[in-house]
Amino acid sequence: QAVVTQEPSLTVSPGGTVTLTCGSSTGAVTSDRYPHWFQQKPGQAPKTLISDTSNKYSWTPARFSGSLLGGKAALTLSGAQPEDEAEYYCMLLYSGPWVFGGGTRLTVL
Amino acid sequence: EVQLVESGGDLVQPGGSLRLSCVVSGFTFRSYWMTWVRQAPGKGLEWVANIRQDGSEKYYVDSVKGRFTISRDNAKNSLYLQMDSLRAEDTAVYYCGGGPGGAWGQGTLVIVSS
């Protein structure tokens, strides 16, 4: 099965902007991979932030946005808040099966 | 309100079996693909299996093929994961997910150990 890659860790300053990326071992990530992004805080279940590249949910803070960037899926956080410190996972679809990336630990410091 | 409630997790010996259940409310269950994912202690999320709305398509991660079976009962708004020939590496919190908001349950813990 394919391998999905994410940055292991990133740090952003409060109020700053950071972009997390999600790559695929099979080549460029396109909208046909239906990229999803999840946020998970310690001891909690994951929460879906973004589906199908860029679709947000009612609970997705406006400061999060999804896109395709340089052959990867991207999650951009603009105006980071302390409560955004968490693990972020992307997930890509491969004609039936999904594959998660290894996660990015985002520190707001 | 969308709710997914998993149950069935337990301590089981290697080679044993468990059946996980996920009862859903707050959305039209029969209209959505449903998914099981898991998270081993201290590790990342791993997609395990998913199932089409009518059960006609099912997909599994390679590591569970032939051992796990995903199923659903649309009349009971329920999703299941039958886990056979369990191994230590199957130890994890298992989450069910799906529905209009990409909702997830709170998870159920499976421990495979002698």
Side-chain angles (χ1 to χ4, degrees):
Chain A
Q1 288 180 319
V3 176
V4 176
T5 55
Q6 297 183 246
E7 299 86 359
S9 63
L10 290 171
T11 299
V12 61
S13 300
T17 297
V18 64
T19 297
L20 289 64
T21 68
C22 176
S24 171
S25 62
T26 63
V29 176
T30 66
S31 58
D32 291 344
R33 293 282 178 228
Y34 299 94
H36 284 55
W37 290 94
F38 306 88
Q39 179 191 65
Q40 188 179 36
K41 296 182 178 180
Q44 296 184 15
K47 181 183 294 186
T48 309
L49 285 178
I50 301 282
S51 67
D52 301 348
T53 304
S54 58
N55 293 333
K56 298 182 186 182
Y57 296 97
S58 58
W59 55 82
T60 306
R63 57 186 180 273
F64 288 95
S65 62
S67 65
L68 296 176
L69 191 65
K72 296 183 178 182
L75 176 70
T76 299
L77 170 57
S78 302
Q81 301 296 310
E83 60 265 30
D84 298 328
E85 188 161 293
E87 194 83 19
Y88 291 83
Y89 296 91
C90 70
M91 186 175 74
L92 301 177
L93 177 64
Y94 292 87
S95 302
W98 292 86
V99 180
F100 278 101
T104 295
R105 179 162 296 181
L106 182 65
T107 301
V108 180
L109 187 62
Chain B
E1 180 189 4
V2 171
Q3 282 196 319
L4 298 87
V5 180
E6 303 95 336
S7 63
D10 204 348
L11 169 63
V12 61
Q13 291 190 342
S17 297
L18 274 180
R19 188 195 197 205
L20 305 184
S21 299
C22 172
V23 178
V24 162
S25 60
F27 67 92
T28 306
F29 178 72
R30 65 180 180 273
S31 297
Y32 293 90
W33 282 79
M34 295 298 295
T35 298
W36 286 101
V37 305
R38 66 185 178 183
Q39 188 167 37
K43 302 297 185 181
L45 296 171
E46 181 182 36
W47 175 85
V48 175
N50 61 2
I51 184 168
R52 192 184 177 91
Q53 291 90 329
D54 61 359
S56 62
E57 288 183 57
K58 304 174 184 181
Y59 299 95
Y60 301 91
V61 67
D62 285 349
S63 60
V64 309
K65 284 180 182 175
R67 301 188 299 122
F68 290 11
T69 303
I70 188 172
S71 63
R72 63 192 297 162
D73 185 335
N74 288 342
K76 295 183 178 179
N77 286 352
S78 293
L79 176 72
Y80 305 102
L81 186 67
Q82 176 67 40
M83 303 188 296
D84 299 319
S85 302
L86 282 161
R87 305 167 180 169
E89 54 265 36
D90 296 318
T91 294
V93 176
Y94 285 73
Y95 299 100
C96 69
W104 297 94
Q106 284 304 302
T108 187
L109 177 61
V110 173
I111 300 175
V112 184
S113 175
S114 55

